[in-house]
């Protein structure tokens, strides 16, 4: 089968399309023929091997898992002899976080992994991207910030993968949502339901005197220190972008003061928690309450081009790899 292989850390040119052996499902696994896989900003960072701290998990001198890719959507082609939850022919979507491997024609996933039946009303491409933006933002807004109806939520990077999901989720949970984005993305963010949009090229949210219960900085473009005066007295600054200063502020605000700085590595949550998040999003998508924003589609042959595009930092929503039609 064809797969994208990364044998060393480096520029997008380290990515190679090669023929490798098709995996065989173990007794408790399903073999999925992948129709679409997401290509994420986090994956472009993993390819570089920076920040260095990430190598503790990803491999010290080269990537531990040669085939990249986590989010997938496809069709079950074979099942192990102990599989009860799925059958051949089921259309499924999810995340492969233990061994990645979804930038390939086939992947094996444990039947009790982060996997669910794909909603009929969304495409494979729309399903493949759910694990990045939606699952992460659900973890941040619901689990970390515990957002409540009527709270004021500011979302920085509202046009990105996490941001486009966060605007819709925050509205679903009854938040009063302000999205921060560039001029070119104002209409997109409004169309997702944001009550207000701030064009960061024209206005600095830290200087307009408005207070927020939660500031979700999906890109790590601001900081707890800069955002603090824009938080309500029990407000929280939450960000998925790890830095030493955020870790330090998380520690100090857990002891002192009422305003909090919070970080979480969503991929390290238990498989059960992540599968439940996936299923929660699935129900909302089936009901037509959330939609995946797809910016660009690439073939496997175009993987280098895809990484270069994502690294511009300007993608709107998500980028997908179309594998089998
Ligand atoms: N901790 C976790 O669990 C976890 C999980 C998944 C991802 N992540 C991390 O989360 C981060 C966000 O990923 P993502 O895929 O959502 O980002 P993304 O899609 O790559 O973000 C790009 C978007 O941000 C906009 N943007 C750029 N500069 C901005 C600014 N100053 N203010 C507001 N918007 C700006 C860009 O449009 P313009 O250039 O036009 O503004 C573009 O639409 C990544 O660092 C990723 O590694 C963490």
């Amino acid at each position: 089968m064809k797969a994208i292989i990364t044998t060393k850390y480096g520029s997008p040119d380290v990515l190679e399309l090669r023929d490798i052996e098709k995996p065989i499902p173990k007794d408790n696994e399903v073999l999925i023929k992948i129709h679409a896989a997401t290509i994420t900003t986090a994956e472009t960072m993993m390819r570089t091997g920076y920040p260095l701290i990430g190598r503790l998990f990803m491999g010290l001198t080269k990537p531990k898992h040669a085939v990249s890719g986590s989010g997938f959507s496809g069709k079950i082609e074979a099942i192990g002899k102990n599989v009860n939850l799925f059958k051949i022919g089921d259309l499924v979507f999810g995340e492969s976080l233990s061994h990645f491997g979804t930038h390939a024609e086939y992947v094996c996933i444990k039947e009790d992994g982060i996997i669910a039946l794909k909603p009929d009303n969304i495409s494979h491409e729309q399903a493949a991207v759910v694990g990045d933006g939606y699952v992460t933002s659900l973890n941040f807004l619901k689990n970390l910030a515990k957002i409540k109806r009527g709270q004021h939520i500011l979302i920085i990077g509202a046009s990105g993968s996490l941001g486009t999901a966060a605007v819709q989720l925050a509205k679903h949970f009854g938040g009063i949502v302000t999205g921060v984005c560039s001029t070119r993305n104002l209409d997109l963010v409004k169309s997702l339901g944001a009550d207000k949009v701030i064009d960061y090229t024209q206005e600095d949210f830290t200087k307009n005197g408005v207070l927020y219960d939660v500031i979700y900085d999906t890109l790590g473009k601001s900081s707890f220190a800069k955002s603090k005066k824009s938080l309500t007295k029990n407000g929280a600054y939450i960000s998925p972008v790890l830095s030493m200063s955020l870790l330090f502020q998380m520690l100090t605000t857990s002891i002192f003061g009422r305003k909090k700085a919070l970080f979480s590595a969503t991929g390290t949550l238990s498989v059960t928690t992540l599968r439940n998040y996936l299923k929660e999003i699935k129900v909302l998508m089936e009901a037509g309450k959330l939609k995946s924003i797809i910016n660009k589609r690439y073939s496997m042959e175009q993987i280098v081009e895809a990484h270069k595009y994502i690294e511009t930092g300007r993608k709107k929503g998500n980028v997908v790899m179309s594998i089998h039609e």
Side-chain angles (χ1 to χ4, degrees):
M1 69 164 184
K2 286 194 288 178
I4 309 294
I5 306 287
T6 323
T7 53
K8 56 184 176 191
Y9 291 122
S11 73
D13 297 311
V14 300
L15 300 162
E16 290 174 61
L17 180 61
R18 281 202 211 157
D19 268 319
I20 62 166
E21 231 163 272
K22 185 173 165 181
I24 297 167
K26 296 195 184 96
D27 292 350
N28 62 344
E29 289 180 343
V30 299
L31 173 72
I32 298 159
K33 180 176 183 178
I34 301 177
H35 287 249
T38 182
I39 316 173
T40 67
T41 300
E43 284 160 8
T44 62
M45 293 164 75
M46 287 183 222
R47 190 210 66 238
T48 64
Y50 290 95
L52 283 174
I53 192 168
R55 295 193 187 198
L56 290 177
F57 312 98
M58 304 305 302
L60 283 182
T61 55
K62 61 176 188 161
K64 197 157 57 180
H65 303 286
V67 186
S68 58
S70 53
F72 67 86
S73 182
K75 188 175 187 173
I76 295 186
E77 194 178 271
I79 56 174
K81 69 174 168 33
N82 297 336
V83 169
N84 296 311
L85 301 175
F86 298 98
K87 60 182 189 314
I88 293 172
D90 281 348
L91 301 181
V92 290
F93 75 120
E95 285 278 293
S96 171
L97 292 179
S98 57
H99 56 291
F100 301 99
T102 66
H103 290 169
E105 290 187 279
Y106 296 88
V107 71
C108 287
I109 303 284
K110 282 187 186 164
E111 67 161 340
D112 59 356
I114 310 161
I115 177 171
L117 291 174
K118 181 181 84 63
D120 290 336
N121 60 338
I122 66 168
S123 68
H124 282 295
E125 291 179 347
Q126 289 167 324
V129 304
V130 165
D132 185 44
Y134 274 113
V135 169
T136 307
S137 291
L138 186 61
N139 173 36
F140 273 77
L141 294 173
K142 190 177 167 180
N143 181 29
L144 226 56
K146 303 191 174 15
I147 70 166
K148 294 178 192 70
R149 186 160 290 282
Q151 282 190 325
H152 288 262
I153 321 288
L154 182 82
I155 295 163
I156 305 173
S159 56
S161 168
L162 274 52
T164 52
V167 170
Q168 297 175 74
L169 283 171
K171 279 306 296 175
H172 169 71
F173 290 125
I176 301 158
V177 178
T178 302
V180 180
C181 60
S182 62
T183 318
R184 69 191 190 107
N185 290 322
L186 292 173
D187 288 343
L188 167 70
V189 176
K190 277 185 215 156
S191 77
L192 300 174
D195 298 285
K196 193 170 177 279
V197 280
I198 292 177
D199 180 344
Y200 69 83
T201 68
Q202 306 294 321
E203 185 181 341
D204 179 347
F205 78 88
T206 64
K207 295 195 175 127
N208 65 12
V210 181
L211 300 185
Y212 302 95
D213 299 293
V214 176
I215 296 179
Y216 181 23
D217 184 357
T218 67
L219 300 170
K221 293 282 182 191
S222 188
S223 65
F224 176 68
K226 283 190 215 157
S227 302
K228 204 172 163 183
K229 65 176 188 298
S230 303
L231 285 172
T232 54
K233 66 178 189 307
N234 292 314
Y237 169 86
I238 59 175
S239 177
V241 182
L242 186 59
S243 65
M244 288 312 287
S245 60
L246 179 55
L247 281 185
F248 177 73
Q249 285 148 357
M250 191 164 157
L251 182 71
T252 51
T253 62
S254 71
I255 306 167
F256 308 107
R258 292 159 82 172
K259 297 181 184 183
K260 302 293 172 203
L262 298 167
F263 167 82
S264 163
T266 309
T268 62
L269 299 178
S270 75
V271 169
T272 307
T273 302
L274 292 171
R275 189 177 52 244
N276 288 341
Y277 285 164
L278 190 79
K279 287 186 173 171
E280 191 168 340
I281 302 295
K282 172 188 151 129
V283 170
L284 293 171
M285 287 202 154
E286 268 167 344
K289 292 188 175 157
L290 303 175
K291 60 179 176 195
S292 296
I293 304 301
I294 308 290
N295 179 196
K296 286 196 185 234
R297 296 162 178 84
Y298 292 91
S299 65
M300 294 184 89
E301 287 75 13
Q302 294 171 311
I303 185 69
V304 172
E305 203 182 308
H307 272 235
K308 285 182 179 168
Y309 174 64
I310 294 170
E311 283 180 339
T312 63
R314 311 215 74 190
K315 78 172 158 69
K316 297 180 186 208
N318 301 276
V319 166
V320 287
M321 191 192 291
S322 302
I323 302 179
H324 290 109
E325 291 303 318

